[in-house]
Amino acid sequence: MSRRSLHTPAPDAAALRARLDRARGAAAKADTDALLIAPGSDLRYLIGQAGGSFERLTTLVVPAEGAPALVVPKLEAPGYADIPADELGIDILTWVDGDDPYRLVAGRLGKPGRVAVSDFTPALHVLALRGALGAAEQILAGPIVRELRMRKDAAEIDALRKAGAAIDRVHARVGEWLRPGRTEAEVGADIAAAIVEEGHDRADFVIVGSGPNGASPHHDVSERVIERGDVVVVDIGGPIPEGYNSDSTRTYAVGEPRDADVAETFAVLLAAQRAAVAAVRPGVTAESIDAAARDIITDAGFGEYFIHRTGHGIGLDVHEEPYIIKGNDLPLEPGMAFSVEPGIYQAGRWGARIEDIVVVTETGVESFNGRPHELVVLDA
Ligand code: ZN
Ligand code: ZN
Ligand code: ZN
C-alpha cells in the first residue's frame, strides 16, 4: 500500500454518501455491527482517499447504525483534509502517540457482537482490535464491500474506459521499441515511460515475455536479448489519476515467427478470446465465460497449456471480484468489469495471451480495449 497524492480526483460527495449508505446497509444485512475499513482501495472507494497503512492505526469505522468515524493519527490527519467529512457525516477522531487508538474504536462501538475488518488490515491492528473489542467476533469485510465495488457506476465505467484507451495508445506504439538486439528490460523501460506519458499515474506492471519467457504468464522482464522470430507477450497496465486500472495484453512477433506452429495455435487462442467476450451478457455466470474460452482451447488439444483462470475483476484494484473461473456461479450483472485473457503456454518454447477489459452492459458487453487482437507481426 502506498500513499497517494492529496489532490487526486475523487467522486463527488453525493456519490460517496450513497456508497457509505450502501456499506451501512450491507453491514446490517450481514448481521455485522460495524465495518472497520483499513487504508487502501476500500477506503478510497468509500471516502475518496486511500490513505496509507502504517504501524499507527488508521481505520474508518462504519457502524450499521449511526455516523461513521475516521480514526487517524493526528500527524496524518492533514492527508485527509480533502475528504468532504461534513457532507459525509464522518467524525474525524484523531489520536496522538501514547493514546490507545484501539480503545478509541471500542469507545465508538460500545459492545459489538460482530465486526468486519478489511481483508488487508495488518495483523498488528487486527489482533489489537480483537483485544480492545472483547467478545466481538471478527470477520472479513471483503465479502461485504465486494458486493458494492463489484458493480461499477457510470463514473467508474468512464474511468475504466479512459484507462483502456490510455493503454491502447501504449500498445499502438510497441513496435517503436520491440526490436531484435534489445533486452526485455530495455523494451520494458520504454513501455513504462509511455504508460505514464499516455495518462497513467504510474506503470504498475510491465511484462515483456519473449520467446520461452512468454510461456511464463507472470514473467516480468529479464536481460534476455530479443531475437528475430521471437513471439513476445506484452501485458501492461497501471492506474490513471482517478485510481482505476488498465490491464491489456497483446502478443507480438518480431518478424515472421520462427516456430511453425504459431499461426495455427494463435488462431485457436483468438477464437477462444472472441468467443468468451461474445458470451458476456447479464444473467450468464462468471464460470460460463471461462468455459467459453476454455472449451475452444481444450477441443483444439491445448487445454493443458491454458494454466490460469480466464479473467479477474478490475477497478481500484488490478485484481478484484468477480473472478472468471470455474466454480464461480455468480450471475453477471450490468456494471461488472473484468478481464478476458485466455493464454496458451508452450513451456520452454513460446507463449501467447490476448487480454481485454470488458464491462457487462444492460444488453451485452462493451470492451474497453480496441487494438487488433491478431498476432501483431512487426517489421524486423
Ligand atoms: Zn495476472
Ligand atoms: Zn494483464
Ligand atoms: Zn489481467
Side-chain angles (χ1 to χ4, degrees), residues 205 207 217-218 235 247 308-309 312 318-319 341 353 355:
F205 53 93
I207 297 174
H218 273 181
D235 184 353
D247 181 6
H308 55 70
R309 66 193 174 211
H312 54 83
V318 180
H319 287 184
E341 51 175 312
R353 178 163 67 256
E355 176 180 24

Side-chain angles (χ1 to χ4, degrees), residues 194-210:
I195 287 174
V196 173
E197 267 169 47
E198 297 293 352
H200 294 82
D201 264 355
R202 61 176 191 278
D204 226 22
F205 53 93
V206 176
I207 297 174
V208 180
S210 67

Side-chain angles (χ1 to χ4, degrees), residues 45-130:
Y45 182 80
L46 292 173
I47 66 169
Q49 181 69 256
S53 186
F54 309 99
E55 79 284 6
R56 293 182 176 99
L57 179 75
T58 295
T59 189
L60 178 70
V61 182
V62 183
E65 306 278 344
L70 182 68
V71 173
V72 60
K74 189 163 192 155
L75 81 167
E76 287 168 16
Y80 298 87
D82 281 357
I83 69 165
D86 291 345
E87 287 161 274
L88 297 179
I90 296 178
D91 298 325
I92 308 281
L93 306 181
T94 60
W95 61 278
V96 296
D97 292 345
D99 292 349
D100 183 342
Y102 308 103
R103 285 192 170 282
L104 207 53
V105 174
R108 190 80 187 178
L109 292 178
K111 290 213 178 323
R114 177 141 79 159
V115 298
V117 296
S118 287
D119 290 13
F120 297 103
T121 308
L124 92 151
H125 297 319
V126 175
L127 297 185
L129 284 164
R130 179 175 296 173

Side-chain angles (χ1 to χ4, degrees), residues 2-10 44 48-50 159 162-164 166-167 169-170 191-206 236-246 315-316 318:
S2 64
R3 260 182 181 278
R4 312 234 179 196
S5 59
L6 299 184
H7 299 282
T8 49
R44 185 167 188 170
Q49 181 69 256
K162 188 171 148 191
I167 208 68
R169 292 194 294 275
V170 179
I191 291 174
I195 287 174
V196 173
E197 267 169 47
E198 297 293 352
H200 294 82
D201 264 355
R202 61 176 191 278
D204 226 22
F205 53 93
V206 176
I236 52 181
I240 60 170
E242 289 84 345
Y244 288 80
N245 286 280
S246 64
L316 290 171
V318 180

